[in-house]
Amino acid sequence: MSLKVIEEDRGEWAVLLVSGELDLVTSALVRQHVHDAVADGRRDLVLDLSRVLFCDSSGVGVLIASRRLMRSCAGRLRLILPAQGAVDGSHVNRVLTALGVRRLFDCYPDLDAATDDAADPLSA
C-alpha cells in the first residue's frame, strides 16, 4: 500500500490528511509536506493520521522531527489520533503509546477539535 497526503487549509491551520502506510519508503513524503508548509510560512500544522493503517519507526521519527521543527519556528503541531479509526483503532496512537512518546504530542479526536484553540487535547 502507498501513502497519500492531501493538503487543505482550515483558518490559520495548515492540515495534512495522511492515509495509507507510514514507513521507511513513504515517510519522506510526509517530511517534505511538513517542510513545505513551514517554508510557506505556516506555523500552525495539523497532521490527520486517522487514516494511517500502519506506522513503523521511520514514521515515528518523522512525527518527532516534525514536532521539533514546528517548535523551533515557534509553531504548533497537532495530531488527529482518534481512539477508533483506521479500521480497528488508530494504529499510530497505539505505536506512539507503546514507544512512550505519545505524551510529546497534542492529540485530538477530529479535525474540528484540532483546529479549535478552545479545545483541550486528549489525555496521553
Side-chain angles (χ1 to χ4, degrees):
M1 177 177 266
S2 63
L3 184 82
K4 183 175 180 182
V5 180
I6 299 172
E7 299 179 34
E8 72 176 49
D9 290 326
R10 179 69 74 96
E12 66 190 47
W13 292 92
V15 179
L16 299 179
L17 305 162
V18 183
S19 58
E21 296 183 356
L22 186 55
D23 58 22
L24 178 63
V25 174
T26 62
S27 60
L29 180 62
V30 174
R31 177 181 286 116
Q32 187 60 53
H33 278 276
V34 171
H35 282 264
D36 289 348
V38 171
D40 289 343
R42 304 306 299 261
R43 296 299 178 260
D44 297 315
L45 180 66
V46 173
L47 292 177
D48 183 345
L49 305 173
S50 61
R51 294 179 192 95
V52 173
L53 300 172
F54 175 80
C55 179
D56 69 5
S57 60
S58 299
V60 173
V62 166
L63 297 178
I64 292 172
S66 297
R67 177 184 180 269
R68 188 178 315 123
L69 175 62
M70 296 310 294
R71 291 174 64 107
S72 73
C73 64
R76 298 183 289 175
L77 174 67
R78 294 181 174 179
L79 305 182
I80 297 176
L81 296 175
Q84 293 297 313
V87 182
D88 64 342
S90 177
H91 179 76
V92 179
N93 195 17
R94 291 192 311 265
V95 169
L96 294 177
T97 301
L99 293 174
V101 296
R102 163 67 174 70
R103 61 184 168 68
L104 298 176
F105 298 97
D106 291 332
C107 301
Y108 294 81
D110 55 46
L111 186 56
D112 289 335
T115 56
D116 180 358
D117 285 335
D120 292 324
L122 299 169
S123 60

